[in-house]
mmCIF file of all heavy atoms in Angstrom:
data_model
loop_
_atom_site.group_PDB
_atom_site.id
_atom_site.type_symbol
_atom_site.label_atom_id
_atom_site.label_comp_id
_atom_site.label_asym_id
_atom_site.label_seq_id
_atom_site.Cartn_x
_atom_site.Cartn_y
_atom_site.Cartn_z
ATOM 1 N N ASP A 50 -6.339 19.168 -6.013
ATOM 2 C CA ASP A 50 -7.077 20.437 -5.955
ATOM 3 C C ASP A 50 -6.287 21.477 -5.161
ATOM 4 O O ASP A 50 -5.586 21.122 -4.204
ATOM 5 C CB ASP A 50 -8.430 20.221 -5.258
ATOM 6 C CG ASP A 50 -9.298 19.215 -5.986
ATOM 7 O OD1 ASP A 50 -9.999 19.619 -6.918
ATOM 8 O OD2 ASP A 50 -9.252 18.015 -5.635
ATOM 9 N N PRO A 51 -6.486 22.759 -5.526
ATOM 10 C CA PRO A 51 -5.741 23.831 -4.845
ATOM 11 C C PRO A 51 -5.927 23.863 -3.320
ATOM 12 O O PRO A 51 -5.009 24.243 -2.595
ATOM 13 C CB PRO A 51 -6.295 25.102 -5.487
ATOM 14 C CG PRO A 51 -6.757 24.675 -6.853
ATOM 15 C CD PRO A 51 -7.266 23.281 -6.675
ATOM 16 N N TYR A 52 -7.111 23.450 -2.809
ATOM 17 C CA TYR A 52 -7.334 23.546 -1.359
ATOM 18 C C TYR A 52 -6.331 22.711 -0.560
ATOM 19 O O TYR A 52 -6.117 22.954 0.631
ATOM 20 C CB TYR A 52 -8.770 23.129 -0.995
ATOM 21 C CG TYR A 52 -9.029 21.640 -1.054
ATOM 22 C CD1 TYR A 52 -8.676 20.821 0.013
ATOM 23 C CD2 TYR A 52 -9.590 21.039 -2.167
ATOM 24 C CE1 TYR A 52 -8.886 19.445 -0.051
ATOM 25 C CE2 TYR A 52 -9.802 19.681 -2.235
ATOM 26 C CZ TYR A 52 -9.442 18.881 -1.175
ATOM 27 O OH TYR A 52 -9.636 17.531 -1.225
ATOM 28 N N MET A 131 -17.099 17.972 -7.137
ATOM 29 C CA MET A 131 -16.846 19.170 -6.327
ATOM 30 C C MET A 131 -16.545 20.431 -7.164
ATOM 31 O O MET A 131 -17.193 21.464 -6.957
ATOM 32 C CB MET A 131 -15.734 18.822 -5.316
ATOM 33 C CG MET A 131 -15.461 19.848 -4.271
ATOM 34 S SD MET A 131 -14.402 21.164 -4.854
ATOM 35 C CE MET A 131 -12.787 20.400 -4.724
ATOM 36 N N THR A 135 -18.979 23.669 -7.458
ATOM 37 C CA THR A 135 -18.478 24.972 -6.998
ATOM 38 C C THR A 135 -18.756 26.060 -8.037
ATOM 39 O O THR A 135 -19.227 27.163 -7.704
ATOM 40 C CB THR A 135 -16.961 24.873 -6.739
ATOM 41 O OG1 THR A 135 -16.734 23.862 -5.759
ATOM 42 C CG2 THR A 135 -16.383 26.192 -6.265
ATOM 43 N N ALA A 156 -8.364 31.671 -14.325
ATOM 44 C CA ALA A 156 -8.118 30.211 -14.298
ATOM 45 C C ALA A 156 -9.226 29.557 -15.132
ATOM 46 O O ALA A 156 -9.815 28.545 -14.755
ATOM 47 C CB ALA A 156 -8.067 29.663 -12.872
ATOM 48 N N THR A 158 -9.508 27.896 -17.883
ATOM 49 C CA THR A 158 -9.500 26.563 -18.500
ATOM 50 C C THR A 158 -9.420 25.477 -17.439
ATOM 51 O O THR A 158 -9.377 24.295 -17.763
ATOM 52 C CB THR A 158 -8.321 26.393 -19.486
ATOM 53 O OG1 THR A 158 -7.094 26.504 -18.755
ATOM 54 C CG2 THR A 158 -8.379 27.435 -20.586
ATOM 55 N N GLY A 159 -9.390 25.867 -16.165
ATOM 56 C CA GLY A 159 -9.255 24.903 -15.071
ATOM 57 C C GLY A 159 -10.581 24.250 -14.724
ATOM 58 O O GLY A 159 -11.609 24.465 -15.380
ATOM 59 N N ALA A 160 -10.539 23.447 -13.678
ATOM 60 C CA ALA A 160 -11.699 22.635 -13.301
ATOM 61 C C ALA A 160 -12.916 23.508 -13.006
ATOM 62 O O ALA A 160 -14.007 23.267 -13.518
ATOM 63 C CB ALA A 160 -11.340 21.793 -12.081
ATOM 64 N N VAL A 161 -12.738 24.542 -12.200
ATOM 65 C CA VAL A 161 -13.857 25.411 -11.828
ATOM 66 C C VAL A 161 -14.112 26.452 -12.930
ATOM 67 O O VAL A 161 -15.239 26.618 -13.410
ATOM 68 C CB VAL A 161 -13.582 26.118 -10.478
ATOM 69 C CG1 VAL A 161 -14.689 27.122 -10.161
ATOM 70 C CG2 VAL A 161 -13.443 25.099 -9.346
ATOM 71 N N GLY A 162 -13.059 27.152 -13.338
ATOM 72 C CA GLY A 162 -13.208 28.270 -14.264
ATOM 73 C C GLY A 162 -13.833 27.876 -15.584
ATOM 74 O O GLY A 162 -14.641 28.624 -16.153
ATOM 75 N N VAL A 179 -9.810 34.745 -18.469
ATOM 76 C CA VAL A 179 -8.405 35.060 -18.219
ATOM 77 C C VAL A 179 -7.709 33.726 -17.996
ATOM 78 O O VAL A 179 -8.190 32.896 -17.225
ATOM 79 C CB VAL A 179 -8.252 35.967 -16.975
ATOM 80 C CG1 VAL A 179 -6.783 36.233 -16.677
ATOM 81 C CG2 VAL A 179 -9.023 37.275 -17.160
ATOM 82 N N ALA A 180 -6.595 33.513 -18.705
ATOM 83 C CA ALA A 180 -5.877 32.242 -18.552
ATOM 84 C C ALA A 180 -4.387 32.486 -18.757
ATOM 85 O O ALA A 180 -3.981 33.544 -19.253
ATOM 86 C CB ALA A 180 -6.398 31.220 -19.552
ATOM 87 N N GLY A 181 -3.587 31.508 -18.373
ATOM 88 C CA GLY A 181 -2.130 31.636 -18.463
ATOM 89 C C GLY A 181 -1.609 31.094 -19.791
ATOM 90 O O GLY A 181 -1.409 29.893 -19.920
ATOM 91 N N LYS A 185 -3.862 27.974 -23.715
ATOM 92 C CA LYS A 185 -5.070 27.926 -22.885
ATOM 93 C C LYS A 185 -6.110 28.899 -23.426
ATOM 94 O O LYS A 185 -7.302 28.609 -23.453
ATOM 95 C CB LYS A 185 -4.732 28.247 -21.422
ATOM 96 C CG LYS A 185 -3.965 27.127 -20.704
ATOM 97 C CD LYS A 185 -3.738 27.458 -19.232
ATOM 98 C CE LYS A 185 -3.045 26.315 -18.497
ATOM 99 N NZ LYS A 185 -2.801 26.622 -17.068
ATOM 100 N N HIS A 201 -3.039 36.549 -18.452
ATOM 101 C CA HIS A 201 -2.717 37.403 -17.294
ATOM 102 C C HIS A 201 -1.225 37.677 -17.156
ATOM 103 O O HIS A 201 -0.813 38.525 -16.370
ATOM 104 C CB HIS A 201 -3.292 36.815 -15.996
ATOM 105 C CG HIS A 201 -2.739 35.476 -15.613
ATOM 106 N ND1 HIS A 201 -1.560 35.325 -14.936
ATOM 107 C CD2 HIS A 201 -3.221 34.225 -15.812
ATOM 108 C CE1 HIS A 201 -1.349 34.024 -14.724
ATOM 109 N NE2 HIS A 201 -2.344 33.331 -15.254
ATOM 110 N N ASN A 224 -11.302 33.550 -8.631
ATOM 111 C CA ASN A 224 -10.558 32.311 -8.418
ATOM 112 C C ASN A 224 -9.122 32.556 -8.014
ATOM 113 O O ASN A 224 -8.474 31.640 -7.495
ATOM 114 C CB ASN A 224 -10.500 31.498 -9.734
ATOM 115 C CG ASN A 224 -11.718 30.619 -9.950
ATOM 116 O OD1 ASN A 224 -12.360 30.214 -8.993
ATOM 117 N ND2 ASN A 224 -12.014 30.319 -11.198
ATOM 118 N N VAL A 225 -8.591 33.744 -8.307
ATOM 119 C CA VAL A 225 -7.132 33.896 -8.210
ATOM 120 C C VAL A 225 -6.638 35.052 -7.345
ATOM 121 O O VAL A 225 -5.548 34.962 -6.776
ATOM 122 C CB VAL A 225 -6.481 33.983 -9.617
ATOM 123 C CG1 VAL A 225 -6.836 32.766 -10.455
ATOM 124 C CG2 VAL A 225 -6.827 35.246 -10.345
ATOM 125 N N CYS A 246 -14.431 32.625 -4.573
ATOM 126 C CA CYS A 246 -14.289 31.172 -4.597
ATOM 127 C C CYS A 246 -12.897 30.753 -4.170
ATOM 128 O O CYS A 246 -12.724 29.810 -3.394
ATOM 129 C CB CYS A 246 -14.591 30.703 -6.021
ATOM 130 S SG CYS A 246 -14.287 28.972 -6.292
ATOM 131 N N GLY A 247 -11.881 31.432 -4.675
ATOM 132 C CA GLY A 247 -10.505 31.060 -4.337
ATOM 133 C C GLY A 247 -9.554 32.194 -4.644
ATOM 134 O O GLY A 247 -9.906 33.142 -5.354
ATOM 135 N N LEU A 248 -8.354 32.109 -4.078
ATOM 136 C CA LEU A 248 -7.341 33.162 -4.237
ATOM 137 C C LEU A 248 -6.001 32.495 -4.509
ATOM 138 O O LEU A 248 -5.025 32.700 -3.787
ATOM 139 C CB LEU A 248 -7.274 34.010 -2.954
ATOM 140 C CG LEU A 248 -8.561 34.759 -2.588
ATOM 141 C CD1 LEU A 248 -8.534 35.228 -1.135
ATOM 142 C CD2 LEU A 248 -8.785 35.952 -3.518
ATOM 143 N N ILE A 249 -5.970 31.680 -5.560
ATOM 144 C CA ILE A 249 -4.820 30.778 -5.730
ATOM 145 C C ILE A 249 -3.496 31.518 -5.857
ATOM 146 O O ILE A 249 -2.463 30.998 -5.450
ATOM 147 C CB ILE A 249 -5.054 29.803 -6.913
ATOM 148 C CG1 ILE A 249 -4.034 28.669 -6.880
ATOM 149 C CG2 ILE A 249 -5.064 30.508 -8.256
ATOM 150 C CD1 ILE A 249 -4.353 27.506 -7.791
ATOM 151 N N SER A 250 -3.519 32.757 -6.352
ATOM 152 C CA SER A 250 -2.235 33.465 -6.506
ATOM 153 C C SER A 250 -1.598 33.768 -5.149
ATOM 154 O O SER A 250 -0.427 34.110 -5.081
ATOM 155 C CB SER A 250 -2.425 34.757 -7.310
ATOM 156 O OG SER A 250 -3.045 35.742 -6.519
ATOM 157 N N TYR A 252 -1.834 31.490 -2.401
ATOM 158 C CA TYR A 252 -1.738 30.320 -1.529
ATOM 159 C C TYR A 252 -0.301 30.021 -1.073
ATOM 160 O O TYR A 252 -0.095 29.434 -0.022
ATOM 161 C CB TYR A 252 -2.341 29.076 -2.196
ATOM 162 C CG TYR A 252 -3.848 29.133 -2.394
ATOM 163 C CD1 TYR A 252 -4.503 28.158 -3.126
ATOM 164 C CD2 TYR A 252 -4.617 30.150 -1.856
ATOM 165 C CE1 TYR A 252 -5.877 28.188 -3.316
ATOM 166 C CE2 TYR A 252 -5.996 30.199 -2.054
ATOM 167 C CZ TYR A 252 -6.607 29.213 -2.781
ATOM 168 O OH TYR A 252 -7.968 29.256 -2.977
ATOM 169 N N PHE A 281 -17.588 31.575 -0.120
ATOM 170 C CA PHE A 281 -18.359 30.345 0.134
ATOM 171 C C PHE A 281 -17.429 29.143 0.109
ATOM 172 O O PHE A 281 -16.411 29.151 -0.576
ATOM 173 C CB PHE A 281 -19.491 30.174 -0.895
ATOM 174 C CG PHE A 281 -19.014 29.923 -2.304
ATOM 175 C CD1 PHE A 281 -19.095 28.656 -2.860
ATOM 176 C CD2 PHE A 281 -18.483 30.942 -3.073
ATOM 177 C CE1 PHE A 281 -18.641 28.412 -4.160
ATOM 178 C CE2 PHE A 281 -18.028 30.705 -4.372
ATOM 179 C CZ PHE A 281 -18.110 29.443 -4.910
ATOM 180 N N ILE A 282 -17.773 28.141 0.901
ATOM 181 C CA ILE A 282 -17.059 26.856 0.924
ATOM 182 C C ILE A 282 -18.094 25.831 0.488
ATOM 183 O O ILE A 282 -19.103 25.628 1.175
ATOM 184 C CB ILE A 282 -16.529 26.539 2.340
ATOM 185 C CG1 ILE A 282 -15.570 27.633 2.831
ATOM 186 C CG2 ILE A 282 -15.854 25.159 2.369
ATOM 187 C CD1 ILE A 282 -14.314 27.821 2.019
ATOM 188 N N ILE A 283 -17.855 25.232 -0.656
ATOM 189 C CA ILE A 283 -18.941 24.594 -1.395
ATOM 190 C C ILE A 283 -19.800 23.631 -0.572
ATOM 191 O O ILE A 283 -21.004 23.814 -0.480
ATOM 192 C CB ILE A 283 -18.446 23.967 -2.725
ATOM 193 C CG1 ILE A 283 -19.620 23.507 -3.548
ATOM 194 C CG2 ILE A 283 -17.424 22.863 -2.534
ATOM 195 C CD1 ILE A 283 -20.568 24.567 -3.983
ATOM 196 N N LEU A 327 0.306 22.479 -10.267
ATOM 197 C CA LEU A 327 -1.053 23.060 -10.244
ATOM 198 C C LEU A 327 -1.025 24.474 -9.673
ATOM 199 O O LEU A 327 -1.745 25.366 -10.124
ATOM 200 C CB LEU A 327 -1.957 22.168 -9.382
ATOM 201 C CG LEU A 327 -3.387 22.616 -9.101
ATOM 202 C CD1 LEU A 327 -4.269 22.409 -10.324
ATOM 203 C CD2 LEU A 327 -3.980 21.857 -7.927
ATOM 204 N N LEU A 328 -0.186 24.677 -8.673
ATOM 205 C CA LEU A 328 -0.104 25.993 -8.027
ATOM 206 C C LEU A 328 0.706 26.980 -8.867
ATOM 207 O O LEU A 328 0.828 28.144 -8.513
ATOM 208 C CB LEU A 328 0.507 25.852 -6.623
ATOM 209 C CG LEU A 328 -0.301 24.983 -5.650
ATOM 210 C CD1 LEU A 328 0.486 24.740 -4.375
ATOM 211 C CD2 LEU A 328 -1.647 25.615 -5.326
ATOM 212 N N GLN A 329 1.281 26.470 -9.981
ATOM 213 C CA GLN A 329 2.049 27.356 -10.875
ATOM 214 C C GLN A 329 1.411 27.431 -12.255
ATOM 215 O O GLN A 329 2.048 27.888 -13.205
ATOM 216 C CB GLN A 329 3.488 26.824 -11.017
ATOM 217 C CG GLN A 329 4.243 26.807 -9.709
ATOM 218 C CD GLN A 329 5.485 25.928 -9.769
ATOM 219 O OE1 GLN A 329 5.736 25.240 -10.762
ATOM 220 N NE2 GLN A 329 6.264 25.944 -8.710
ATOM 221 N N GLY A 330 0.189 26.918 -12.389
ATOM 222 C CA GLY A 330 -0.498 27.009 -13.685
ATOM 223 C C GLY A 330 -0.020 25.997 -14.703
ATOM 224 O O GLY A 330 -0.262 26.168 -15.898
ATOM 225 N N ASN A 332 -0.989 22.829 -14.945
ATOM 226 C CA ASN A 332 -2.062 21.927 -15.382
ATOM 227 C C ASN A 332 -2.874 22.598 -16.478
ATOM 228 O O ASN A 332 -2.965 23.822 -16.538
ATOM 229 C CB ASN A 332 -2.979 21.576 -14.200
ATOM 230 C CG ASN A 332 -3.704 22.802 -13.678
ATOM 231 O OD1 ASN A 332 -3.068 23.801 -13.349
ATOM 232 N ND2 ASN A 332 -5.014 22.762 -13.624
ATOM 233 N N GLY A 334 -6.580 21.868 -17.574
ATOM 234 C CA GLY A 334 -7.792 21.088 -17.321
ATOM 235 C C GLY A 334 -7.771 20.529 -15.915
ATOM 236 O O GLY A 334 -6.829 20.767 -15.149
HETATM 237 P P1 NDP B 428 -7.520 24.856 -11.709
HETATM 238 O O1 NDP B 428 -7.807 23.569 -12.410
HETATM 239 O O2 NDP B 428 -8.081 26.098 -12.284
HETATM 240 O O3 NDP B 428 -5.947 24.992 -11.549
HETATM 241 C C1 NDP B 428 -5.373 26.105 -10.957
HETATM 242 C C2 NDP B 428 -5.124 27.223 -11.999
HETATM 243 O O4 NDP B 428 -4.961 28.438 -11.311
HETATM 244 C C3 NDP B 428 -3.830 27.062 -12.760
HETATM 245 O O5 NDP B 428 -3.916 26.178 -13.844
HETATM 246 C C4 NDP B 428 -3.582 28.478 -13.222
HETATM 247 O O6 NDP B 428 -4.292 28.734 -14.416
HETATM 248 C C5 NDP B 428 -4.208 29.313 -12.104
HETATM 249 N N1 NDP B 428 -3.143 29.936 -11.296
HETATM 250 C C6 NDP B 428 -2.236 29.307 -10.532
HETATM 251 N N2 NDP B 428 -1.422 30.201 -9.955
HETATM 252 C C7 NDP B 428 -1.844 31.424 -10.374
HETATM 253 C C8 NDP B 428 -1.407 32.755 -10.124
HETATM 254 N N3 NDP B 428 -0.368 33.019 -9.329
HETATM 255 N N4 NDP B 428 -2.087 33.781 -10.721
HETATM 256 C C9 NDP B 428 -3.133 33.520 -11.542
HETATM 257 N N5 NDP B 428 -3.579 32.273 -11.808
HETATM 258 C C10 NDP B 428 -2.938 31.243 -11.224
HETATM 259 O O7 NDP B 428 -8.011 24.736 -10.201
HETATM 260 P P2 NDP B 428 -9.509 24.604 -9.671
HETATM 261 O O8 NDP B 428 -10.434 24.882 -10.775
HETATM 262 O O9 NDP B 428 -9.614 23.335 -8.952
HETATM 263 O O10 NDP B 428 -9.623 25.780 -8.597
HETATM 264 C C11 NDP B 428 -9.818 27.134 -8.999
HETATM 265 C C12 NDP B 428 -10.037 27.993 -7.773
HETATM 266 O O11 NDP B 428 -11.241 27.598 -7.119
HETATM 267 C C13 NDP B 428 -8.941 27.887 -6.723
HETATM 268 O O12 NDP B 428 -8.693 29.161 -6.182
HETATM 269 C C14 NDP B 428 -9.557 26.986 -5.665
HETATM 270 O O13 NDP B 428 -8.986 27.169 -4.397
HETATM 271 C C15 NDP B 428 -10.999 27.415 -5.736
HETATM 272 N N6 NDP B 428 -11.968 26.453 -5.211
HETATM 273 C C16 NDP B 428 -12.814 26.863 -4.195
HETATM 274 C C17 NDP B 428 -13.792 26.059 -3.687
HETATM 275 C C18 NDP B 428 -14.709 26.574 -2.633
HETATM 276 O O14 NDP B 428 -15.486 25.805 -2.073
HETATM 277 N N7 NDP B 428 -14.678 27.857 -2.331
HETATM 278 C C19 NDP B 428 -13.946 24.676 -4.180
HETATM 279 C C20 NDP B 428 -13.054 24.338 -5.296
HETATM 280 C C21 NDP B 428 -12.104 25.210 -5.767
HETATM 281 P P3 NDP B 428 -3.714 29.733 -15.538
HETATM 282 O O15 NDP B 428 -2.485 29.068 -16.080
HETATM 283 O O16 NDP B 428 -4.815 29.820 -16.518
HETATM 284 O O17 NDP B 428 -3.429 31.011 -14.849
#
Side-chain angles (χ1 to χ4, degrees):
D50 300 275
Y52 75 82
M131 188 278 280
T135 301
T158 63
V161 175
V179 177
K185 288 184 177 179
H201 63 83
N224 275 333
V225 303
C246 173
L248 298 164
I249 194 167
S250 75
Y252 293 172
F281 67 105
I282 301 298
I283 189 62
L327 175 76
L328 298 171
Q329 298 163 354
N332 64 306

